[in-house]
Amino acid sequence: MMRKDREPFTYIPLKAGDIRLLHVSIVAGEAVWCLKTTSLQTNETQVAFDALSYTWGDLTDTFPIICNNQELRVHRNLRDALPYLARRQSSLPIWIDAICINQTDSDEKLTQVRMMHNIYSRANEVWVWLGTGREDSKEAIALLPRIAEVGKEVNGDSMQKSPRPTLESKGLPGLSSPMWQTVYSLIYNPWFFRLWIVQEASLAKRVRVLYGSNEVDWKELEEAVDLGTELGYHIRDVNGQKPRTGDINNHNVFLIRQVVQDPEFKVPWQHHLLRTLLLTLKSHQCSGPYDRVLGILGFITADQIEQIRLDDNPSLPDLYTRFTRFLLSSVGPRKSNWWALLNLAPTSEKLPGLPSWCPDFHALSNSDGPRMYSLAKPISSTKYKGPIPYYASRGISIASQGSDLSELTVRGKIFDTVDRVYTEFPHSLKLHVGGLSAGESSQILLDIRAWERGLAKAILEDPQPAQDSTGLLQNNNDNDKNLVKISIDDYWRTLVGNLTERTDYTLTRETFFEFRRGLDAWAKYVEKLDFDNKMLINECAFGTTDDPNEEQELEEAQKYINQDTPCMTFLFDVLHRLHRRRLFTTYQGRIGFGLETVQAADVVCVLNYSCTAHILRLEKDAHVCTYRLIGEAYVHGMMTGEVEALDLEEQDIILV
């Protein structure tokens, strides 16, 4: 029974190198908890203990437990776990972050975070808590090996295979069985998507998994997570229903653990830290913005953390800036992950006080809506064949970094200035999200047609550039000599980033004209409809008509705008390249596109080792020439090393 007169739990400050461990004894069938302090720095005896990896879950309510004869309050998921942890197959004390760290002491939290690499790597076992489970938990756990076997059998089958095998023919229950909900609660458990668990499981000597009173074999869980995701792509039940398709991010923890535990793993720790940051940024959640960095630091030792030179109680901008600058300075621009990190920095809304080259990690991890992919990354939905063929830079020199933490120095060549910026691709977000009504789809096609025709007129029929207002170009005294006339081929290739070769089709000039003809045909059809039939489009299936006089116009339009036609293929390839980007033309008559924040008078450069061009903005009030990073860019005719033929000098470029 919980006595009402117990004192609230009081933490005693820790000495350097000390941690708290939670001990349990069973008295009269009840768990009695005791928190004791021990040192990890003693050389006399090795401290034996376990550690817990779990999700904090709902933080709105707390519940009392008795610890050291005082009342200590914990959140729901930990309260549920403690009775099972008390009776687990181990007699060792256990380290649990929410209890063993004084969560109200920010200095202690940072100190203990710096020790987490030592804590989880030294723990005898790390216990993973996946929840209290369900009535059929034991049966669902026993089903995991068969799910992995079936996933392996169908992996590699064509997704168009007909007839598809059934779950029942493979010895698995149909989807009407409630057991699948239990299986899903295991392989898509919230635990997989919490940031802190990645280091906790990766560093562990041995991982043991609890689902209520049942233990789940780690290897069987890994194979079910990995191969079970194939079921939804290749198999159905007897009623034609498909299993839930996978989320590749739930396998990240297994991938990272394999790397960390590999005795042949020789990658420098700074490179591994950056790779882990990029792998977990969008897929793994944490409760606070500080945790976005602190949850990654557990992969490295306290001595390695000291090299980052974090203050004891840093502000959030200082934490992000120091962490980013350390990674960029340590890894260097020869590595693709360096560019992946730098290109995350430009966003329309960022934490005040961050340099333009430093990402707002918390904002990125919590951003909604469709992701904008790097220009240098293949886009699976467009089925691009082979690696992206951009290698804009041939420069090999690397700039030295100064002492100002707010500055990042890079080397490269500034070769042009943005002259005009054009309107964004219309309804980009709606098309990514989907779920459009017939009327919305019709209007979007009309708006895309108006956008493209207006864009083509402005770019192809009025190519004369304005005067360079920056004065930064090294060859800006001969307007006629520098002017490059934009052709129709330059124009349509820029719309798709000149990525024309796909695994099952090739974009050509004719594809572009089919795109135009399709939009024209739809506009012609809609224009001839009377008011009632235009209203009908909003109420019925897209592209239907009861008027035989309109049937021919409709059939002509549908030849172009049905799914997988060249018109729609080109439309969606443009959408993928230009989502949250805007086309521009330059002082010297080039065409390209950059992030939606690009403005006239921004300068265009190629930075050494970069696959793509970049847009910079001159800081007007600076005493020295400094720039803000606006983001990566595509510039037609400048993506395969052509900047080297312009006879421009490399220069140090200071980003602020």
Side-chain angles (χ1 to χ4, degrees), residues 56-64 72-80 98:
W56 279 33
D58 185 4
L59 303 181
T60 56
D61 296 321
T62 60
F63 303 86
L72 178 63
R73 302 193 71 84
V74 298
H75 298 295
R76 183 185 300 274
N77 196 33
L78 183 52
R79 179 206 62 175
D80 294 343

Side-chain angles (χ1 to χ4, degrees), residues 38-240:
T38 189
S39 175
L40 285 186
Q41 292 184 332
T42 178
N43 294 321
E44 297 177 1
T45 57
Q46 285 286 343
V47 180
F49 63 94
D50 292 339
L52 178 65
S53 179
Y54 69 113
T55 64
W56 279 33
D58 185 4
L59 303 181
T60 56
D61 296 321
T62 60
F63 303 86
I65 65 167
I66 301 306
C67 184
N68 293 12
N69 206 32
Q70 300 174 66
E71 182 179 300
L72 178 63
R73 302 193 71 84
V74 298
H75 298 295
R76 183 185 300 274
N77 196 33
L78 183 52
R79 179 206 62 175
D80 294 343
L82 286 173
Y84 297 96
L85 293 171
R87 292 167 175 81
R88 74 191 191 281
Q89 294 180 358
S90 173
S91 60
L92 296 177
I94 190 166
W95 189 88
I96 302 174
D97 56 359
I99 293 177
C100 297
I101 299 176
N102 181 359
Q103 298 295 326
T104 63
D105 186 338
S106 57
D107 289 339
E108 179 177 302
K109 283 175 66 176
L110 185 57
T111 300
Q112 291 284 290
V113 163
R114 288 173 170 168
M115 297 175 63
M116 286 181 73
H117 181 279
N118 201 12
I119 291 170
Y120 278 95
S121 59
R122 284 184 57 175
N124 282 38
E125 296 174 328
V126 171
W127 291 81
V128 171
W129 172 250
L130 296 183
T132 55
R134 299 159 63 102
E135 290 184 1
D136 56 358
S137 294
K138 191 171 184 178
E139 292 79 6
I141 292 169
L143 197 63
L144 294 180
R146 182 56 188 158
I147 289 173
E149 288 174 7
V150 174
K152 187 174 183 179
E153 289 173 14
V154 300
N155 185 20
D157 286 353
S158 169
M159 288 190 284
Q160 283 73 45
K161 182 178 179 180
S162 181
R164 295 176 187 268
T166 64
L167 293 169
E168 292 84 352
S169 68
K170 295 291 186 179
L172 294 172
L175 291 178
S176 60
S177 169
M179 192 181 302
W180 280 105
Q181 295 306 312
T182 309
V183 170
Y184 292 154
S185 71
L186 282 165
I187 63 178
Y188 299 110
N189 194 279
W191 179 81
F192 288 109
F193 307 101
R194 177 177 173 255
L195 177 63
W196 291 91
I197 66 93
V198 180
Q199 54 152 321
E200 295 164 0
S202 298
L203 295 171
K205 298 174 185 174
R206 183 186 179 198
V207 180
R208 299 182 70 175
V209 183
L210 280 180
Y211 189 49
S213 58
N214 297 288
E215 189 167 347
V216 186
D217 182 84
W218 176 257
K219 188 64 178 177
E220 290 180 358
L221 181 61
E222 177 182 2
E223 291 177 348
V225 166
D226 184 20
L227 296 167
T229 58
E230 295 294 328
L231 299 184
Y233 299 110
H234 303 289
I235 203 167
R236 300 291 184 265
D237 69 3
V238 293
N239 297 316

Side-chain angles (χ1 to χ4, degrees), residues 575-606:
L575 168 66
H576 286 300
R577 283 286 93 176
L578 296 187
H579 174 58
R580 294 180 57 190
R581 296 186 171 103
R582 299 173 70 186
L583 275 91
F584 60 79
T585 48
T586 70
Y587 161 75
Q588 294 187 4
R590 297 184 176 92
I591 183 173
F593 56 79
L595 298 191
E596 57 195 346
T597 52
V598 62
Q599 297 177 7
D602 288 344
V603 298
V604 192
C605 69
V606 169

